[in-house]
Amino acid sequence: MLRKLTLVVALIASLLIGAAPASAITDGDLDGNGHPYVGLMVAQTAAGQPLWRCSGTLISARIFVTAGHCTESPAGHIEIWFAADVETNHNRLNPDGTPNPNWNGYPITGDVGGTPYTHPNFDPNRFFIRDLGIVLLDKAVKRSTYGRLPQRDQLDALSPGASTTFTAVGYGLQMSFPDAASWKDQALRIRMVAYPKLNQINGGIVGDFSLLLSNNANTGGTCFGDSGGPNFVGTSNVIGGVTSFGLNGNCAGTGGVYRLDRSWNLDWIYATFGRYL
């Protein structure tokens, strides 16, 4: 997001106290053109004031999937960039104060704009329960391939362990440090990729709505700014879930992913946006 979140929220179990919306890829690699349908979004007020940034995925020419806490009020409009590197030329002015002729419009005008929608059962005080958002784009964004929604309850067949991996993609922080050392944060607006493994599903602190994926130097993981970004099943383009929450301010240990394969998500998407899919 545009700033490091410090809000501490209570989850359904005391084990999740301290969870907060997540936002960037840590210990990852440059994605380049690996996932050109994954974009960086900036939520704006209806008047065009930038609020925060997240990541997300095109699943069709008009539908962009992200997290519910990325589209919630007061967001009234979304701007999205699809370049692998949004960092270069994101400044309107050069260091000497002259206009940058190559300014990419960040954070005001992206490649495309759209209208945000949040899951009807989203609760900002328990965002992780229904953490799903959709952006209906103002115009079509053509790609040869898009991300795909999972089948209903598809992830139930997965088992935790090193052999069950995901492909996490996003534009968030590359490194996050405690507040006293936050000046060392690395927050380049560059699309990154990592390959975390499945640590927990169907039980524990994630219930039936989320996953816990690894976040370490071996597998990489997600951090602040990756919120809403896809976690593809294996190396496919099937979005198992969107990056949702972290359990500490250093983006270490594990990352929380909100599952898309549940009926309450798929039914809402197809009923509301089916004509655009």
Side-chain angles (χ1 to χ4, degrees), residues 103-190:
W103 178 50
N104 60 19
Y106 183 89
I108 305 300
T109 305
D111 300 325
V112 66
T115 302
Y117 295 85
T118 307
H119 193 285
N121 298 127
F122 177 85
D123 179 352
N125 295 315
R126 291 159 55 86
F127 70 91
F128 41 85
I129 300 295
R130 296 290 183 269
D131 198 12
L132 175 59
I134 295 289
V135 181
L136 177 59
L137 304 185
D138 296 335
K139 62 181 182 180
V141 175
K142 299 293 187 180
R143 293 287 185 270
S144 59
T145 302
Y146 298 97
R148 291 196 296 124
L149 293 172
Q151 298 297 312
R152 180 173 176 173
D153 300 331
Q154 177 177 339
L155 303 188
D156 284 343
L158 302 180
S159 298
S163 62
T164 303
T165 61
F166 287 76
T167 300
V169 185
Y171 288 81
L173 273 69
Q174 291 77 46
M175 289 187 180
S176 180
F177 295 88
D179 288 345
S182 61
W183 57 272
K184 295 193 292 184
D185 286 359
Q186 293 183 17
L188 301 179
R189 300 159 184 84
I190 296 174

Side-chain angles (χ1 to χ4, degrees), residues 24-205:
I25 298 297
T26 62
D27 295 304
D29 300 309
L30 294 172
D31 184 60
N33 292 320
H35 300 88
Y37 41 86
V38 175
L40 181 157
M41 58 160 276
V42 171
Q44 301 176 352
T45 66
Q49 178 66 35
L51 295 168
W52 53 73
R53 85 172 191 248
C54 287
S55 304
T57 313
L58 284 171
I59 59 172
S60 75
R62 294 284 306 279
I63 298 298
F64 184 82
V65 175
T66 187
H69 71 264
C70 295
T71 58
E72 68 173 312
S73 178
H77 180 75
I78 305 293
E79 288 290 325
I80 304 172
W81 291 254
F82 289 100
D85 179 1
V86 182
E87 179 71 17
T88 302
N89 292 316
H90 79 278
N91 290 318
R92 186 197 301 254
L93 301 177
N94 293 315
D96 62 2
T98 59
N100 177 3
N102 298 312
W103 178 50
N104 60 19
Y106 183 89
I108 305 300
T109 305
D111 300 325
V112 66
T115 302
Y117 295 85
T118 307
H119 193 285
N121 298 127
F122 177 85
D123 179 352
N125 295 315
R126 291 159 55 86
F127 70 91
F128 41 85
I129 300 295
R130 296 290 183 269
D131 198 12
L132 175 59
I134 295 289
V135 181
L136 177 59
L137 304 185
D138 296 335
K139 62 181 182 180
V141 175
K142 299 293 187 180
R143 293 287 185 270
S144 59
T145 302
Y146 298 97
R148 291 196 296 124
L149 293 172
Q151 298 297 312
R152 180 173 176 173
D153 300 331
Q154 177 177 339
L155 303 188
D156 284 343
L158 302 180
S159 298
S163 62
T164 303
T165 61
F166 287 76
T167 300
V169 185
Y171 288 81
L173 273 69
Q174 291 77 46
M175 289 187 180
S176 180
F177 295 88
D179 288 345
S182 61
W183 57 272
K184 295 193 292 184
D185 286 359
Q186 293 183 17
L188 301 179
R189 300 159 184 84
I190 296 174
R191 192 166 61 227
M192 303 285 289
V193 61
Y195 304 96
K197 66 181 180 68
L198 178 62
N199 281 357
Q200 190 175 109
I201 185 173
N202 287 332
I205 64 174

Side-chain angles (χ1 to χ4, degrees), residues 165-275:
T165 61
F166 287 76
T167 300
V169 185
Y171 288 81
L173 273 69
Q174 291 77 46
M175 289 187 180
S176 180
F177 295 88
D179 288 345
S182 61
W183 57 272
K184 295 193 292 184
D185 286 359
Q186 293 183 17
L188 301 179
R189 300 159 184 84
I190 296 174
R191 192 166 61 227
M192 303 285 289
V193 61
Y195 304 96
K197 66 181 180 68
L198 178 62
N199 281 357
Q200 190 175 109
I201 185 173
N202 287 332
I205 64 174
V206 298
D208 63 353
F209 52 85
S210 290
L211 310 169
L212 278 186
L213 303 186
S214 62
N215 192 347
N216 55 57
N218 292 325
T219 67
T222 57
C223 188
F224 298 101
D226 289 327
S227 283
N231 292 263
F232 297 108
V233 179
T235 57
S236 73
N237 65 334
V238 175
I239 309 170
V242 296
T243 297
S244 177
F245 62 87
L247 297 181
N248 60 65
N250 299 338
C251 302
T254 57
V257 173
Y258 180 69
R259 296 175 61 166
L260 296 189
D261 66 325
R262 291 312 195 195
S263 60
W264 52 79
N265 299 318
L266 296 174
D267 290 350
W268 175 62
I269 292 174
Y270 286 116
T272 308
F273 306 101
R275 65 187 180 278

